[in-house]
Amino acid sequence: MVIDSDSDFFKLACAVPLQDATTSGLAGHGVELLVRRDDLIDSGLSGNKAYKLFYNLRAARDAGYSRLLSFGGAYSNHLYALAIAGARYGFATLGVIRGERPAHLSPTLQDAEQAGMQLLFISRAAYQRKTFTHLLDEWRKQFGDFYVIPEGGAGVPGARGLTVMARALEAQLEGDYTAVCIACGTGTSLAGLAAGLTAVGRSDKPALGFSVLKGDGGLGTGIAETYRQLCAKHNASGDDRSHNAANWRLISGFHAGGYGKKHPAYLFDFWRTFEQETGIPLDPVYTLKMMWGIHCLAQQGYWPRGTRIVAIHSGGLQGRRGFVCP
Ligand SMILES: *Cc1c(COP(=O)(O)O)cnc(C)c1O
């Protein structure tokens, strides 16, 4: 990922392989599955987090910042990607983490630190107020000025990176698919993907987001707003397509207990079977639940026969460490 060049970024996105992963479970229902292997774009800076960082890094650099600050948990794919991006593109990075510094850092945070990220552990109570200006002011006094990237790379610049993925998909398949699926945490990636599909004239292709959160109450509101802002940018003529033709859906039934909860046995079984059949590794928090959801929906007859699904492999494989994998 070269942050100076939109066209190089687009080329990188166009080179992402689409791998056939039509399992026997899907084939039996007449459903074809292609996995877009965005987990493979780079050894460290990969998956949707690379896309979400692209325009954030660009904005930080254009505004003259040399230091980035963001937030996350001990297994955060976002902080991991940010630490690597910082090292690669010459930014100092600060990672704010909830809770006391543990005696043994998670592999994720060890790597982040090794890449040069300075880790700031703050109490859970303080973390609730993490964007309060007085906390940020304190850190600015301590470390110097920095550019703040929201937790998980959420927000419009983050989502905008995913419009590039949608453009690449258009260059690759020219609309020869039925729907695109992606796992959702904040839903930023879903909003960007859907807006990107709309921008390339594919608003007839639904972008389906599989939420990994239990009780994702306000998620849809945030997605709608991000989608609206991105579509408004693409569509300065004022014809607001975001209301009558929003091409994204949030699917909430496959969180399997919620974010970071212990997996039920049936999910482990699915994980093992899927990886054996396709050879595609999944991460435990996001892509596993999306794939499971896609398969459950096939069993329920949700996908008409002849459906061709593109599922985004949004990465996160570093998070397999510390997890009992199949
Ligand atoms: C962060 C992450 C997601 C969720 O992305 P959002 O834009 O927050 O919805 C999905 N998959 C993986 C692997 C992730 O790391």
Side-chain angles (χ1 to χ4, degrees), residues 48-49 52 77 152 183-190 283 286-287 314-316:
N48 69 334
K49 297 305 183 284
K52 290 168 87 174
N77 294 328
C184 280
T186 64
T188 305
S189 300
L190 173 64
D283 86 292
Y286 294 101
T287 51
S314 44

Side-chain angles (χ1 to χ4, degrees), residues 7 13 51 69 89 161 169 181 212 241 273 277 309 315 321:
S7 66
Y51 290 84
L69 175 140
Y89 297 111
L169 194 60
C181 296
V212 305
R241 278 177 281 185
T273 310
E277 232 184 297
I309 299 167
R321 297 173 300 177

Side-chain angles (χ1 to χ4, degrees), residues 100-183:
E100 302 264 296
R101 186 184 177 102
H104 297 284
L105 284 182
S106 65
T108 305
L109 294 183
Q110 281 178 30
D111 285 351
E113 222 172 39
Q114 220 152 47
M117 178 175 268
Q118 189 158 359
L119 304 180
L120 309 172
F121 289 87
I122 63 172
S123 72
R124 279 160 201 280
Y127 195 87
Q128 301 287 319
R129 299 177 279 121
K130 64 187 181 296
T131 49
F132 279 14
T133 44
H134 72 272
L135 253 181
L136 296 177
D137 285 346
E138 259 173 50
W139 288 325
R140 285 202 167 93
K141 266 186 228 143
Q142 209 176 331
F143 302 105
D145 204 5
F146 46 73
Y147 181 88
V148 178
I149 300 177
E151 183 164 15
V156 172
R160 197 176 152 216
L162 273 291
T163 64
V164 176
M165 187 191 287
R167 277 172 46 214
L169 194 60
E170 177 59 17
Q172 290 173 310
L173 290 180
E174 299 178 331
D176 187 16
Y177 58 90
T178 316
V180 187
C181 296
I182 190 163

